[in-house]
Amino acid sequence: MIEDKHKPEIIFRGIPASPGISIGKVFLYVKEIPTAVERIIKPDEVENEIQKLRNAVKKSEKELLKILSFAQQKIGEGKSKILEAQIMILRDQFLLESLEKRIKTELRNAEYIVSDEIGKYEKMMLMAQDDYMHERAHDVDDLKNRIIRNMQQTKLISKFEEAAIVVAHSLTPADTVIFSRNTVLGYATDRGGITSHAAILSRALKIPAVLGLGDISRRVSHGDKIIIDGYSGIVIVNPSLEQQSKYQAKKEKYLQHEAKLVQIKNLPAVTLDNHKIELSANIEFEEEIEYVQMQGSQGVGLFRSESILINKESIPTEEEQYQVYKLFAERIYPNRIIIRTFDVGGDKIAPNTIEEANPFLGWRGIRIFLDHKDLFLEQLRAILRASTRKNIAIMFPMVSTVEEIIKAKEILEIAKSQLKSKKIKFDSNIKIGAMIEVPSAAVTADTIAKEVDFLSIGTNDLTQYLLAVDRGNNVVSGLYQEFHPSVIRTIKYIIDAGHKENKWVGMCGELAGNPLATVLLVGLGLDEFSVIPTILPEIKRIIRSIKYSDAKLLASEVLNLATTDEVLKFLRSYLQKNFKDIIINNNNK
Ligand code: PEP
Ligand code: MG
């Protein structure tokens, strides 16, 4: 390896979207955005323009069908649905008719009308304050550009001879799949987040990816040497020889480590002294189910049902919801899926909700649905109808008082009796749980535990409310400390309160999936961990390598520490001593 003395090393930090380390050369994917110039046409050109539009739509459909069939072979039917959505838009008769009508009445060229009309949808989606919606807007943009490109008869270059790491401004699901026909070693993009479909597909294709890197695509050239670390989110362009050998060693270490993790995939999460933990996954999209199962999860500890509201102007009907919940329950069966009722408001999408000065302290989660009993009943009936296999549990978000649980249970009983009177089957013994993520609920966890079958700790919100730090505000992000003694002591309090009432206590906040916290949480007595699927095998390995008795001792020591720094130092040194190959995320606070 000869070091290029002329190019300085540049380090980027982004979002680790798909795990793995790759070292290779850059394939810079510059997607020329086709420009659609507005042109007034004569009436006798209308037919020609409409024909041009129809041909381009047909060609785009053919291209996408080809990509779809490749995707289905490579990653299976489930995940390929992402691409089907684009094809469905293309086949939407209403859209085509309105495009043709506008060409006729406005006497404008087809390229311009496509750009303007589809661009409107895109703008609407971009206006939503929601990452997922923004990602979908880019999928729509991709479709628009594909049609225009086909009208202009230009082509994208997506083939390369040598194995390479694709660097791009952004990648659509179609790009991600197309590139995987080459030897792609990884993806690094300016834009995109963990929920982008490109991220989900990269994980399914097992290609390391780091997204949200800012302006990387403008700062690299074709053929530059590059390292991407999909565990930590670090990308190094023009790495020194020293960095290259450091990452080569890290990569080998991880590969060996992952090979070991595969061996425990089907084994239970049990400690050396036989203390059993339930290890499940958090999911939002159907496309993730296969991956979750591949990772050896025991079920789903949190299905954020509000994900089905994305892209919708109103809440789906009971029947539509039933179809979704049924599908998830069937695919997860015989394992359990905990469906959390809609948690809208705060920073999340919310059809028909209102503007608030303080949304995180406002109309959010269960509060909205206790006020909208009709909508709540619809969701509860849909969940109940999907529960005939007896593998669904229901969980309520943003609970702040026990009265809310009592009211929710009354509404659940009404939903049950409505179904009974229509002789519709459901699991009459369905289990219900409360999320404990608001300090008032934590302090009264014993009272709440009396009313439910289980508690699930939402540390993402619990941390923000305990420490009075907005979880999405960069200015105060340094104060958002999941390892703060107040958070740890509150977790202990909730677990003890649940156990006193003989109820199991789980955790579905991000802390459950942080390897640094695993031994501590086991020691505090947590019964269930629900984690992001990528980290699941690592958490299982830690659980299987420790003794419950040791974890309890560690927890009692941590409970005596006074500051976040002390806690972190203590846990890091424990882990480094006992798990030399551990992957510790340096972003821990
Ligand atoms: C939490 O608050 O920890 C949680 C799991 O819920 P969400 O992140 O969806 O608010
Ligand atoms: Mg929450």
Side-chain angles (χ1 to χ4, degrees), residues 282 302 304 306 340 343 348 364 435 437 457-462 471 508-510:
N282 291 354
L302 169 64
R304 291 183 163 99
E306 61 274 13
R340 179 175 76 180
D343 184 14
K348 301 184 194 178
R364 203 191 141 181
M435 280 203 68
E437 49 184 347
I457 307 174
T459 48
N460 309 344
D461 277 312
L462 187 61
R471 66 195 248 199
C508 57
E510 296 295 314

